[in-house]
Amino acid sequence: MTQTEMIWKYQEAEVELEKLKKELDNTPERQKMKKLRRVLQEQSDRIESFKSGIKEKEDELESDLKKLETLLSDYDLEQDDLNIMLSDEECTAAELTESRKAMEELLERVNALKKALNDCRSWIAKTTDAIKETYSKGSKTKRDYEAAKAVVETERLERKPVIDKAQKEVERIELQLSPDILKRYKAIKKKFPNPVATITDNRCSGCGMSVSMSVVKKFSAGNTIMECENCGRIIC
Ligand SMILES: [Zn+2]
């Protein structure tokens, strides 16, 4: 067998091996397993994002509580001032109004802060529930994933002999190829999945362009390895 015939056989063996690997990679069970793995990842990402959200809210809660404490003590001080003013005969009505207004404003801020604190607490409670729910969904996904994985492993073992045989065939032919043609094949393979093309009606089966007569003649003449002038595929 010439090197040209051999490289064609090599491509056929590679195509067969790739086909078998692809089939194994695309079984419904393997697709299912991959999907479940994605779902598991999403669930775990969601839990992480919930947790970091809770952490932020807890920090917010802590700082709001400190603010509330300050406001309440300001309010007490204002209340003391007002009491003093009320017993002070020289205190004017305008001053009293001013003090009451300040207290009202403080109270408004206290109420707004209390509302924010409640919102924050209920958000944390809700998110904690969501985490629990995601965990419980996650454990079901994990079980389904493990089951699919077991089936996938069975499929792999079942198909292993055929794939191994195809792999050995590729290796067997590879040993018979000259290092030069193999190197060229592998270089072209980086660009095209099928590095070897045939000539039909003076056209390259890879790129469809016509091949010059000089190439066709040289090719017909003997055992030299020719490449398509247009795409660079090895012509066989
Ligand atoms: Zn070509």
Side-chain angles (χ1 to χ4, degrees):
M1 205 183 273
T2 65
Q3 284 290 300
T4 322
E5 285 164 339
M6 199 69 84
I7 196 74
W8 177 255
K9 283 256 168 235
Y10 184 64
Q11 175 165 284
E12 279 183 333
E14 275 213 324
V15 166
E16 176 64 12
L17 176 62
E18 281 157 17
K19 193 189 98 196
L20 290 170
K21 283 184 176 171
K22 209 172 171 181
E23 273 171 9
L24 178 64
D25 205 40
N26 285 316
T27 65
E29 202 63 29
R30 191 171 280 254
Q31 296 297 323
K32 188 177 152 193
M33 184 189 83
K34 284 183 190 167
K35 196 180 157 215
L36 286 166
R37 191 160 51 202
R38 279 199 299 275
V39 174
L40 269 179
Q41 188 58 52
E42 280 162 18
Q43 284 165 341
S44 132
D45 289 349
R46 204 175 309 144
I47 288 176
E48 279 316 302
S49 122
F50 283 153
K51 281 184 177 169
S52 75
I54 286 182
K55 177 84 191 55
E56 273 174 36
K57 287 279 176 189
E58 278 172 348
D59 292 346
E60 209 178 300
L61 202 64
E62 205 178 316
S63 105
D64 280 357
L65 278 170
K66 275 185 193 143
K67 278 187 210 157
L68 184 64
E69 231 171 85
T70 314
L71 280 178
L72 287 172
S73 100
D74 287 353
Y75 185 83
D76 284 345
L77 290 174
E78 200 63 46
Q79 178 75 65
D80 290 347
D81 284 352
L82 183 64
N83 288 341
I84 293 167
M85 283 175 173
L86 285 170
S87 56
D88 183 355
E89 282 167 11
E90 281 174 28
C91 183
T92 65
E95 281 172 330
L96 284 173
T97 310
E98 187 68 25
S99 171
R100 285 204 175 96
K101 208 178 140 207
M103 284 181 72
E104 266 165 33
E105 273 170 17
L106 276 171
L107 208 56
E108 262 171 40
R109 286 171 65 194
V110 166
N111 286 335
L113 208 50
K114 276 184 179 166
K115 191 186 172 303
L117 280 166
N118 278 335
D119 288 351
C120 202
R121 283 201 186 99
S122 65
W123 188 91
I124 289 175
K126 216 173 71 190
T127 309
T128 307
D129 285 347
I131 288 181
K132 278 183 206 151
E133 199 194 318
T134 312
Y135 265 125
S136 104
K137 272 189 199 156
S139 64
K140 189 190 176 297
T141 314
K142 186 101 174 73
R143 279 197 304 277
D144 293 348
Y145 170 73
E146 291 301 335
K149 203 174 144 191
V151 178
V152 164
E153 179 59 9
T154 313
E155 285 175 349
R156 190 187 69 82
L157 290 174
E158 271 168 12
R159 292 177 195 220
K160 192 174 181 292
V162 181
I163 291 179
D164 283 354
K165 199 175 153 215
Q167 176 72 49
K168 284 218 171 69
E169 179 63 4
V170 169
E171 287 162 11
R172 186 187 69 80
I173 303 173
E174 193 167 313
L175 284 174
Q176 296 173 59
L177 288 168
S178 76
D180 176 54
I181 193 167
L182 189 63
K183 204 173 138 196
R184 277 156 81 180
Y185 178 92
K186 289 196 190 282
I188 306 168
K189 179 108 184 171
K190 283 178 187 153
K191 281 200 287 177
F192 308 116
N194 52 343
V196 188
T198 51
I199 301 179
T200 314
D201 297 334
N202 290 344
R203 281 179 188 279
C204 163
S205 70
C207 64
M209 299 295 279
S210 56
V211 177
S212 74
M213 279 319 287
S214 66
V215 171
V216 178
K217 270 184 200 150
K218 259 196 241 167
F219 180 72
S220 316
N223 198 10
T224 37
I225 304 294
M226 301 298 299
E227 281 174 13
C228 168
E229 293 158 306
N230 180 56
C231 67
R233 284 185 177 87
I234 300 166
I235 286 168
C236 142

PDB file of all heavy atoms in Angstrom, residues 182-198:
ATOM      1  N   LEU A 182       2.698  12.269   8.128  1.00  0.00           N
ATOM      2  CA  LEU A 182       1.898  12.354   9.357  1.00  0.00           C
ATOM      3  C   LEU A 182       1.914  13.779   9.907  1.00  0.00           C
ATOM      4  O   LEU A 182       0.889  14.314  10.341  1.00  0.00           O
ATOM      5  CB  LEU A 182       2.450  11.363  10.392  1.00  0.00           C
ATOM      6  CG  LEU A 182       1.600  11.178  11.639  1.00  0.00           C
ATOM      7  CD1 LEU A 182       0.237  10.592  11.284  1.00  0.00           C
ATOM      8  CD2 LEU A 182       2.305  10.254  12.634  1.00  0.00           C
ATOM      9  N   LYS A 183       3.100  14.381   9.853  1.00  0.00           N
ATOM     10  CA  LYS A 183       3.254  15.756  10.346  1.00  0.00           C
ATOM     11  C   LYS A 183       2.385  16.703   9.510  1.00  0.00           C
ATOM     12  O   LYS A 183       1.695  17.575  10.053  1.00  0.00           O
ATOM     13  CB  LYS A 183       4.732  16.160  10.228  1.00  0.00           C
ATOM     14  CG  LYS A 183       5.133  17.264  11.190  1.00  0.00           C
ATOM     15  CD  LYS A 183       6.631  17.477  11.124  1.00  0.00           C
ATOM     16  CE  LYS A 183       6.958  18.954  11.150  1.00  0.00           C
ATOM     17  NZ  LYS A 183       8.312  19.243  10.716  1.00  0.00           N
ATOM     18  N   ARG A 184       2.406  16.494   8.172  1.00  0.00           N
ATOM     19  CA  ARG A 184       1.595  17.342   7.294  1.00  0.00           C
ATOM     20  C   ARG A 184       0.106  17.124   7.573  1.00  0.00           C
ATOM     21  O   ARG A 184      -0.673  18.076   7.621  1.00  0.00           O
ATOM     22  CB  ARG A 184       1.906  17.050   5.829  1.00  0.00           C
ATOM     23  CG  ARG A 184       3.144  17.812   5.386  1.00  0.00           C
ATOM     24  CD  ARG A 184       3.816  17.157   4.228  1.00  0.00           C
ATOM     25  NE  ARG A 184       3.183  17.467   2.945  1.00  0.00           N
ATOM     26  CZ  ARG A 184       3.624  16.978   1.783  1.00  0.00           C
ATOM     27  NH1 ARG A 184       4.673  16.184   1.769  1.00  0.00           N
ATOM     28  NH2 ARG A 184       3.015  17.288   0.671  1.00  0.00           N
ATOM     29  N   TYR A 185      -0.253  15.874   7.745  1.00  0.00           N
ATOM     30  CA  TYR A 185      -1.661  15.536   8.036  1.00  0.00           C
ATOM     31  C   TYR A 185      -2.132  16.270   9.300  1.00  0.00           C
ATOM     32  O   TYR A 185      -3.173  16.909   9.318  1.00  0.00           O
ATOM     33  CB  TYR A 185      -1.786  14.019   8.215  1.00  0.00           C
ATOM     34  CG  TYR A 185      -3.180  13.540   8.576  1.00  0.00           C
ATOM     35  CD1 TYR A 185      -4.084  13.151   7.597  1.00  0.00           C
ATOM     36  CD2 TYR A 185      -3.586  13.484   9.911  1.00  0.00           C
ATOM     37  CE1 TYR A 185      -5.360  12.705   7.927  1.00  0.00           C
ATOM     38  CE2 TYR A 185      -4.859  13.047  10.249  1.00  0.00           C
ATOM     39  CZ  TYR A 185      -5.741  12.654   9.255  1.00  0.00           C
ATOM     40  OH  TYR A 185      -6.992  12.232   9.597  1.00  0.00           O
ATOM     41  N   LYS A 186      -1.318  16.171  10.351  1.00  0.00           N
ATOM     42  CA  LYS A 186      -1.719  16.767  11.638  1.00  0.00           C
ATOM     43  C   LYS A 186      -1.778  18.293  11.553  1.00  0.00           C
ATOM     44  O   LYS A 186      -2.631  18.934  12.185  1.00  0.00           O
ATOM     45  CB  LYS A 186      -0.773  16.315  12.754  1.00  0.00           C
ATOM     46  CG  LYS A 186      -0.991  14.836  13.103  1.00  0.00           C
ATOM     47  CD  LYS A 186      -0.370  14.463  14.426  1.00  0.00           C
ATOM     48  CE  LYS A 186      -0.351  12.958  14.675  1.00  0.00           C
ATOM     49  NZ  LYS A 186      -1.611  12.369  15.095  1.00  0.00           N
ATOM     50  N   ALA A 187      -0.864  18.864  10.739  1.00  0.00           N
ATOM     51  CA  ALA A 187      -0.878  20.323  10.576  1.00  0.00           C
ATOM     52  C   ALA A 187      -2.151  20.767   9.856  1.00  0.00           C
ATOM     53  O   ALA A 187      -2.802  21.732  10.259  1.00  0.00           O
ATOM     54  CB  ALA A 187       0.355  20.777   9.811  1.00  0.00           C
ATOM     55  N   ILE A 188      -2.536  20.025   8.802  1.00  0.00           N
ATOM     56  CA  ILE A 188      -3.751  20.393   8.047  1.00  0.00           C
ATOM     57  C   ILE A 188      -4.997  20.153   8.904  1.00  0.00           C
ATOM     58  O   ILE A 188      -5.964  20.898   8.854  1.00  0.00           O
ATOM     59  CB  ILE A 188      -3.855  19.601   6.711  1.00  0.00           C
ATOM     60  CG1 ILE A 188      -2.580  19.774   5.884  1.00  0.00           C
ATOM     61  CG2 ILE A 188      -5.054  20.056   5.899  1.00  0.00           C
ATOM     62  CD1 ILE A 188      -2.461  18.810   4.711  1.00  0.00           C
ATOM     63  N   LYS A 189      -4.923  19.116   9.737  1.00  0.00           N
ATOM     64  CA  LYS A 189      -6.063  18.760  10.603  1.00  0.00           C
ATOM     65  C   LYS A 189      -6.450  19.929  11.533  1.00  0.00           C
ATOM     66  O   LYS A 189      -7.602  20.058  11.937  1.00  0.00           O
ATOM     67  CB  LYS A 189      -5.689  17.515  11.427  1.00  0.00           C
ATOM     68  CG  LYS A 189      -6.755  17.051  12.391  1.00  0.00           C
ATOM     69  CD  LYS A 189      -7.393  15.777  11.930  1.00  0.00           C
ATOM     70  CE  LYS A 189      -8.525  15.397  12.873  1.00  0.00           C
ATOM     71  NZ  LYS A 189      -9.306  14.305  12.370  1.00  0.00           N
ATOM     72  N   LYS A 190      -5.453  20.750  11.853  1.00  0.00           N
ATOM     73  CA  LYS A 190      -5.752  21.912  12.707  1.00  0.00           C
ATOM     74  C   LYS A 190      -6.688  22.882  11.995  1.00  0.00           C
ATOM     75  O   LYS A 190      -7.428  23.613  12.636  1.00  0.00           O
ATOM     76  CB  LYS A 190      -4.460  22.630  13.103  1.00  0.00           C
ATOM     77  CG  LYS A 190      -3.728  21.877  14.198  1.00  0.00           C
ATOM     78  CD  LYS A 190      -2.428  22.549  14.573  1.00  0.00           C
ATOM     79  CE  LYS A 190      -1.658  21.660  15.538  1.00  0.00           C
ATOM     80  NZ  LYS A 190      -0.211  21.881  15.444  1.00  0.00           N
ATOM     81  N   LYS A 191      -6.625  22.876  10.653  1.00  0.00           N
ATOM     82  CA  LYS A 191      -7.486  23.785   9.880  1.00  0.00           C
ATOM     83  C   LYS A 191      -8.778  23.091   9.437  1.00  0.00           C
ATOM     84  O   LYS A 191      -9.843  23.676   9.465  1.00  0.00           O
ATOM     85  CB  LYS A 191      -6.742  24.284   8.632  1.00  0.00           C
ATOM     86  CG  LYS A 191      -5.763  25.398   8.925  1.00  0.00           C
ATOM     87  CD  LYS A 191      -5.427  26.174   7.650  1.00  0.00           C
ATOM     88  CE  LYS A 191      -4.526  25.351   6.743  1.00  0.00           C
ATOM     89  NZ  LYS A 191      -4.230  26.039   5.470  1.00  0.00           N
ATOM     90  N   PHE A 192      -8.650  21.844   8.993  1.00  0.00           N
ATOM     91  CA  PHE A 192      -9.811  21.113   8.468  1.00  0.00           C
ATOM     92  C   PHE A 192      -9.957  19.774   9.184  1.00  0.00           C
ATOM     93  O   PHE A 192      -8.948  19.103   9.429  1.00  0.00           O
ATOM     94  CB  PHE A 192      -9.632  20.814   6.968  1.00  0.00           C
ATOM     95  CG  PHE A 192      -9.293  22.015   6.131  1.00  0.00           C
ATOM     96  CD1 PHE A 192      -8.075  22.097   5.478  1.00  0.00           C
ATOM     97  CD2 PHE A 192     -10.193  23.059   6.004  1.00  0.00           C
ATOM     98  CE1 PHE A 192      -7.750  23.201   4.703  1.00  0.00           C
ATOM     99  CE2 PHE A 192      -9.875  24.166   5.223  1.00  0.00           C
ATOM    100  CZ  PHE A 192      -8.650  24.243   4.574  1.00  0.00           C
ATOM    101  N   PRO A 193     -11.197  19.376   9.456  1.00  0.00           N
ATOM    102  CA  PRO A 193     -11.381  18.068  10.117  1.00  0.00           C
ATOM    103  C   PRO A 193     -10.981  16.912   9.200  1.00  0.00           C
ATOM    104  O   PRO A 193     -10.632  15.827   9.675  1.00  0.00           O
ATOM    105  CB  PRO A 193     -12.870  18.025  10.441  1.00  0.00           C
ATOM    106  CG  PRO A 193     -13.515  19.059   9.589  1.00  0.00           C
ATOM    107  CD  PRO A 193     -12.472  20.087   9.276  1.00  0.00           C
ATOM    108  N   ASN A 194     -11.051  17.127   7.874  1.00  0.00           N
ATOM    109  CA  ASN A 194     -10.675  16.066   6.930  1.00  0.00           C
ATOM    110  C   ASN A 194      -9.494  16.519   6.067  1.00  0.00           C
ATOM    111  O   ASN A 194      -9.686  17.150   5.035  1.00  0.00           O
ATOM    112  CB  ASN A 194     -11.873  15.683   6.054  1.00  0.00           C
ATOM    113  CG  ASN A 194     -12.509  16.907   5.398  1.00  0.00           C
ATOM    114  OD1 ASN A 194     -12.276  18.038   5.812  1.00  0.00           O
ATOM    115  ND2 ASN A 194     -13.294  16.684   4.359  1.00  0.00           N
ATOM    116  N   PRO A 195      -8.276  16.214   6.495  1.00  0.00           N
ATOM    117  CA  PRO A 195      -7.099  16.745   5.796  1.00  0.00           C
ATOM    118  C   PRO A 195      -6.822  16.073   4.455  1.00  0.00           C
ATOM    119  O   PRO A 195      -6.041  16.599   3.674  1.00  0.00           O
ATOM    120  CB  PRO A 195      -5.943  16.459   6.753  1.00  0.00           C
ATOM    121  CG  PRO A 195      -6.580  16.047   8.046  1.00  0.00           C
ATOM    122  CD  PRO A 195      -7.883  15.453   7.699  1.00  0.00           C
ATOM    123  N   VAL A 196      -7.441  14.927   4.208  1.00  0.00           N
ATOM    124  CA  VAL A 196      -7.171  14.244   2.949  1.00  0.00           C
ATOM    125  C   VAL A 196      -8.379  14.389   2.025  1.00  0.00           C
ATOM    126  O   VAL A 196      -9.520  14.187   2.452  1.00  0.00           O
ATOM    127  CB  VAL A 196      -6.872  12.740   3.173  1.00  0.00           C
ATOM    128  CG1 VAL A 196      -6.396  12.093   1.880  1.00  0.00           C
ATOM    129  CG2 VAL A 196      -5.834  12.547   4.278  1.00  0.00           C
ATOM    130  N   ALA A 197      -8.121  14.769   0.767  1.00  0.00           N
ATOM    131  CA  ALA A 197      -9.211  14.941  -0.190  1.00  0.00           C
ATOM    132  C   ALA A 197      -8.949  14.073  -1.416  1.00  0.00           C
ATOM    133  O   ALA A 197      -7.825  13.622  -1.653  1.00  0.00           O
ATOM    134  CB  ALA A 197      -9.311  16.405  -0.599  1.00  0.00           C
ATOM    135  N   THR A 198      -9.993  13.844  -2.183  1.00  0.00           N
ATOM    136  CA  THR A 198      -9.819  13.089  -3.429  1.00  0.00           C
ATOM    137  C   THR A 198     -10.005  14.054  -4.601  1.00  0.00           C
ATOM    138  O   THR A 198     -10.480  15.173  -4.403  1.00  0.00           O
ATOM    139  CB  THR A 198     -10.885  11.982  -3.539  1.00  0.00           C
ATOM    140  OG1 THR A 198     -12.172  12.570  -3.327  1.00  0.00           O
ATOM    141  CG2 THR A 198     -10.666  10.897  -2.508  1.00  0.00           C
TER     142      THR A 198
END
